[in-house]
């Protein structure tokens, strides 16, 4: 049994009858005061079978109003996969993320390239979560608000450019933006995954201050420190080994995670980065089956086509009569 989205439109059914009684019809040839024998003959032919023409027009109007009321058919119930959790990804795009001290599939890649590949797999596994994306450098930007459209989050991450939000690192600002966006979600649903390779050296909010705000808001923060511990670089005597992650503030990231009930992960290569994301995936509850929804299928096309066909049938005798006397 179809349902109607706008059933109040059926109140327009008596509109033609009302217009016919309110507006006084003109007699043939009255409008131009000229003799029109062809029109008079057509009118006469219509009056010989007024009931058939009126019935066709009435059915056409009924079909048109029915189409306007948007008939719909309800499909079978479909359970919705919803975890009830909202996760904000905060990804560092400062200049140091362009260092190629990570290895992926047997070749050296930049830190952000490793994040892009491995975080993309993490996003794919979050079906059922609302996911959002924050990119930060000298400033923090909400790129994708919380959404169930994981393809949109993935596309924004793949389209990111290292250094675009600035060359420095505003960890505190990024965490504050994430907490603000999660404030309206249920308390058990608020999760932040923050990835960085440096120390907070920009922004207006200190990371530990933002962590206190996250704790007060019931937001769990998982932090990931990325970057190799050793990297060979050329120098005057050939090459030497340096620590490209010397500036990484492990103590601060660990403190943020501990304060908020999360965990800190150290990722010196792509394998450890993948393990960190898998661990976060396991620590959060898996999506559960939510309330069932019934999809709606629009049926207005069929009465609309019937209305057009009936109007064409009603107009056909008059059109043929006019052609005959033209």
């Amino acid at each position: 049994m179809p349902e109607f989205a706008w059933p109040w439109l059926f109140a327009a059914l008596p509109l033609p009858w009302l217009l016919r009684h309110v507006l006084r019809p003109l007699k043939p040839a009255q409008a131009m005061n000229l003799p029109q024998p062809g029109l008079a003959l057509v009118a006469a032919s219509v009056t010989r079978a007024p009931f058939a023409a009126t019935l066709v027009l009435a059915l056409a109007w009924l079909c048109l109003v029915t189409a306007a009321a948007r008939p719909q058919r309800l499909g079978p119930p479909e359970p919705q996969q919803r975890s009830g959790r909202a996760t904000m990804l905060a990804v560092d795009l400062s200049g140091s993320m362009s260092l190629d001290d990570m290895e992926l599939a047997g070749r050296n890649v930049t830190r952000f390239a490793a994040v892009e590949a491995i975080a993309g797999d993490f996003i794919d596994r979050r079906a059922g979560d609302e996911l959002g994306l924050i990119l930060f450098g000298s400033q923090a930007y909400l790129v994708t608000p919380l959404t169930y459209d994981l393809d949109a989050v993935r596309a924004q991450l793949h389209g990111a450019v290292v250094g675009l939000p600035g060359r420095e690192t505003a960890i505190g600002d990024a965490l504050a933006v994430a907490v603000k966006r999660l404030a309206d979600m249920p308390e058990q649903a608020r999760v932040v995954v923050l990835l960085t390779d440096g120390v907070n050296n920009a922004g207006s909010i200190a990371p530990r201050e933002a962590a206190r705000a996250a704790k007060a808001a019931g937001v769990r923060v998982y932090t990931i420190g990325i970057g190799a511990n050793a990297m060979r670089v050329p120098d005057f005597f050939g090459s030497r080994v340096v620590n490209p992650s010397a500036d990484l503030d492990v103590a601060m990231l660990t403190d943020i995670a501990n304060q908020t009930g999360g965990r800190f992960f150290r990722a010196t290569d792509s394998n450890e980065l993948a393990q960190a994301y898998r661990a976060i995936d396991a620590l959060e509850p898996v999506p559960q089956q939510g309330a069932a929804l019934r999809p709606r299928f629009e049926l207005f096309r069929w009465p609309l086509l019937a209305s057009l066909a009936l109007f064409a049938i009603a107009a056909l005798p008059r059109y043929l009569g006019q052609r005959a006397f033209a």
Side-chain angles (χ1 to χ4, degrees):
M1 187 68 181
E3 297 183 357
F4 295 93
W6 301 329
W8 50 268
L9 281 175
F10 283 108
L13 280 175
L15 186 60
W17 181 84
L18 293 174
L19 292 177
R20 181 176 181 182
H21 285 78
V22 170
L23 301 178
R24 182 176 298 176
L26 297 176
K27 296 179 180 180
Q30 179 180 344
M32 299 182 63
N33 292 322
L34 294 174
Q36 298 183 18
L39 183 59
L41 287 173
V42 171
S45 65
V46 172
T47 56
R48 283 197 294 268
F51 178 76
T54 302
L55 181 61
V56 171
L57 288 173
L59 288 175
W61 176 249
L62 175 62
C63 291
L64 185 62
V65 173
T66 301
R70 285 184 59 194
Q72 300 172 335
R73 178 177 61 83
L74 290 177
E78 296 181 359
Q80 302 299 300
Q81 297 294 331
R82 294 291 183 264
S83 68
R85 178 182 49 239
T87 303
M88 293 296 304
L89 299 180
V91 178
D92 190 347
L93 279 186
S94 61
S96 55
M97 289 293 289
S98 62
L99 285 176
D100 56 351
D101 61 345
M102 303 293 285
E103 187 175 296
L104 185 66
R107 61 187 181 90
N108 288 338
V109 296
T110 66
R111 294 172 175 180
F112 178 69
V115 171
E116 185 179 3
I118 296 170
D121 180 64
F122 174 79
I123 292 170
D124 291 339
R125 295 198 302 269
R126 304 323 295 165
D129 275 12
E130 281 189 278
L131 208 61
L133 178 64
I134 294 170
L135 301 177
F136 65 96
S138 302
Q139 295 178 315
Y141 298 96
L142 176 68
V143 179
T144 310
L146 288 169
T147 178
Y148 287 111
D149 187 356
L150 302 186
D151 291 335
V153 180
R154 189 185 308 104
Q156 291 287 359
L157 180 63
H158 289 338
V161 177
V162 172
L164 188 62
R167 309 293 296 182
E168 297 180 314
T169 310
I171 296 173
D173 285 7
L175 183 54
V177 172
V179 171
K180 181 178 179 181
R181 290 293 170 174
L182 292 169
D184 294 333
M185 303 300 298
E187 185 171 344
Q188 295 302 316
R190 305 168 189 171
V191 177
V192 175
V193 179
L194 187 146
L195 181 142
T196 184
D197 68 344
V199 61
N200 187 81
N201 55 14
S204 58
I205 301 176
R208 287 181 170 85
E209 181 183 342
R212 286 192 292 270
K215 180 180 180 181
V219 176
R220 293 186 302 282
V221 182
Y222 297 93
T223 56
I224 302 175
I226 186 175
N229 287 326
M231 180 180 181
R232 185 169 294 277
V233 297
D235 67 357
F236 183 77
F237 299 100
S239 66
R240 62 190 175 93
V241 176
V242 299
N243 180 6
S245 300
D247 291 336
L248 180 64
D249 195 341
V250 172
M252 179 265 294
L253 294 175
T254 303
D255 188 37
I256 290 175
N258 290 340
Q259 276 196 58
T260 59
R263 273 184 59 185
F264 167 69
F265 299 90
R266 182 71 174 96
T268 60
D269 55 40
S270 58
N271 289 330
E272 289 184 352
L273 181 60
Q275 289 172 12
Y277 277 116
R278 283 196 293 268
I280 296 170
D281 190 40
L283 286 169
E284 293 301 320
V286 296
Q288 297 178 353
Q289 200 172 79
L293 296 178
R294 301 185 66 182
R296 295 177 180 271
F297 301 96
E298 298 286 348
L299 305 175
F300 70 90
R301 298 174 184 84
W302 306 111
L304 180 60
L305 290 174
S307 173
L308 295 175
L310 289 169
F311 276 124
I313 293 171
L316 186 61
R318 179 170 297 188
Y319 174 76
L320 294 177
Q322 289 175 345
R323 291 290 298 272
F325 296 101

